[in-house]
Amino acid sequence: MKKILAIESSCDETAAAVVADGRSVLSNIISSQIARHKLFGGVVPEIASRKHIEKINQVVSAALDEAGMTLTQVDAVAVTKGPGLVGALLVGVSFAKALAFAAGKPLIGVNHIEGHIAANYISNPRLEPPFLCLVVSGGHTHLVRVADYGVYEVLGRTLDDAAGEAFDKVARAIGLGYPGGPKIEALAKLGNPKAIPFPRAKISGSALDFSFSGLKSAVLNYMNGAHMRKERIVEADLAASFQQAVIDVLVGNLMKAAAESDTKCIALAGGVTANQTLRTAVEQACVSAGYTFYCPEPLLCTDNAAMIGAAAYTSWQKGQLSDWSLNADPALQLGAI
Ligand code: KG4
Ligand code: ZN
């Protein structure tokens, strides 16, 4: 059994995990900085880097302790190399390189988006490529055909804001604070998703691309209009109608891609897929169209290191190890080595 110590520090979570054979989680420690960034309404990169430095040693030790192991007992060290905030990534990359070098272990740099996709292998150990995956997080909205382990075809992507970014911006406009996704979801439960007819963006040219900035502007215009007319805004209806507009577009494109695809398996990945209304909508669409539905448990949808360990295992099996020149790459693309 190959045991990988994995480290994740691309944004505002300092995380470490030990994962065996890419699918079995022996420990999964996540130290969130949300409380700190909340004060500023979003992630402050400089604060994120400093907090990672303060926490990383403790988080890695806790992951080894919880797995009942010492560093000498792990077989490799993996780390998120990108995409993400460069200063935040550098903390994890430098720490992982130092650990691997000192302990004489192989080093595996991992793409964060690939990690989100690989979270599905943990929650559903029987899942194997090919499958379609909708990756929706704070920084990314991708519709991906996973042709094989580590082989990706991006079928659609956002042309402007990521879906999570839209959740966060609308939450800020309503005054719900950061991070917006879970707060919009909670408020939306009390509202009517059909109350306000927000637009569902259609992109000319590429049928599978997304755009969320028009929707975000429509929400802001609606709020400004209501303020000017001195009308009361029913915030729960606003949240529910906005959330439904995002979900309709995500599910619409996903099902369009599935109809054109050779696979009958659909998976979800990324922080936004912790949203229960989205999970249910995709599951129902899959059931009625006859597709098999996969989704990681909510804790593995948002940022964590177990998913990095899962993705690292497939890289290792393909012989894709990193050398000591490994560096953070804030704009790393899916599929790039
Ligand atoms: O994957 P993730 O943890 O970090 C990135 O790689 O970006 O995703 C964070 C994003 C944030 O935009 C957050 O608002 C959103 O995921 N999010 C949600 C929910 N939980 C987190 N969006 C909608 N509903 C949720 N329950
Ligand atoms: Zn992420």
Side-chain angles (χ1 to χ4, degrees), residues 282-316:
V282 176
E283 186 168 15
Q284 282 171 354
C286 286
V287 169
S288 49
Y291 301 126
T292 313
F293 170 72
Y294 296 94
C295 191
E297 59 197 81
L299 186 72
L300 295 178
C301 289
T302 46
D303 287 350
N304 65 88
M307 69 184 197
I308 301 304
Y313 181 69
T314 65
S315 300
W316 195 3

Side-chain angles (χ1 to χ4, degrees), residues 112 116 137-139 164-165 167-168 179-182 185 270-272 274-275 301-303:
H112 181 81
H116 275 301
S137 70
E165 199 179 347
F167 268 94
D168 293 336
E185 180 178 20
V272 179
N275 185 295
C301 289
T302 46
D303 287 350

Side-chain angles (χ1 to χ4, degrees), residues 148-164:
D148 199 348
Y149 291 106
V151 181
Y152 308 98
E153 186 188 350
V154 179
L155 305 173
R157 63 177 75 229
T158 183
L159 301 179
D160 39 58
D161 291 352

Side-chain angles (χ1 to χ4, degrees), residues 50-299:
R50 282 197 223 166
K51 285 278 141 196
H52 285 311
I53 291 171
E54 282 172 29
K55 288 282 174 191
I56 196 158
N57 213 342
Q58 195 179 323
V59 166
V60 168
S61 299
L64 288 169
D65 284 353
E66 194 173 293
M69 300 175 66
T70 60
L71 183 58
T72 49
Q73 291 171 302
V74 305
D75 298 296
V77 178
V79 65
T80 304
K81 62 181 174 180
L85 301 169
V86 68
L89 287 164
L90 274 170
V91 177
V93 168
S94 315
F95 197 89
K97 280 166 78 170
L99 273 190
F101 185 77
K105 307 287 178 185
L107 176 69
I108 309 166
V110 174
N111 183 311
H112 181 81
I113 307 174
E114 209 170 333
H116 275 301
I117 296 171
N120 281 287
Y121 300 131
I122 299 172
S123 295
N124 309 282
R126 279 177 305 180
L127 173 64
E128 286 184 3
F131 58 92
L132 271 187
C133 191
L134 175 68
V135 190
V136 259
S137 70
H140 307 276
T141 305
H142 282 62
L143 196 45
V144 181
R145 181 173 177 276
V146 182
D148 199 348
Y149 291 106
V151 181
Y152 308 98
E153 186 188 350
V154 179
L155 305 173
R157 63 177 75 229
T158 183
L159 301 179
D160 39 58
D161 291 352
E165 199 179 347
F167 268 94
D168 293 336
K169 286 178 177 169
V170 167
R172 193 182 310 170
I174 306 179
L176 298 177
Y178 179 84
K183 298 198 167 165
I184 295 262
E185 180 178 20
L187 186 58
K189 288 202 170 85
L190 311 171
N192 172 8
K194 294 188 176 143
I196 308 162
F198 288 128
R200 274 68 172 157
K202 296 260 183 305
I203 316 281
S204 54
S206 170
L208 298 176
D209 282 338
F210 302 93
S211 167
F212 293 105
S213 74
L215 171 60
K216 174 196 65 192
S217 303
V219 174
L220 299 180
N221 288 342
Y222 176 87
M223 293 179 73
N224 288 338
H227 284 311
M228 273 160 46
R229 292 189 299 275
K230 302 203 184 326
E231 286 168 10
R232 194 174 75 88
I233 294 172
V234 182
E235 287 175 353
D237 284 351
L238 184 85
S241 301
F242 159 75
Q243 178 176 272
Q244 194 56 50
V246 174
I247 291 175
D248 284 352
V249 172
L250 292 176
V251 176
N253 281 14
L254 179 58
M255 289 301 134
K256 221 183 290 170
E260 293 166 10
S261 152
D262 56 347
T263 168
K264 291 270 173 208
C265 295
I266 289 184
L268 298 181
V272 179
T273 64
N275 185 295
Q276 192 55 53
T277 315
L278 171 62
R279 294 160 80 95
T280 306
V282 176
E283 186 168 15
Q284 282 171 354
C286 286
V287 169
S288 49
Y291 301 126
T292 313
F293 170 72
Y294 296 94
C295 191
E297 59 197 81
L299 186 72

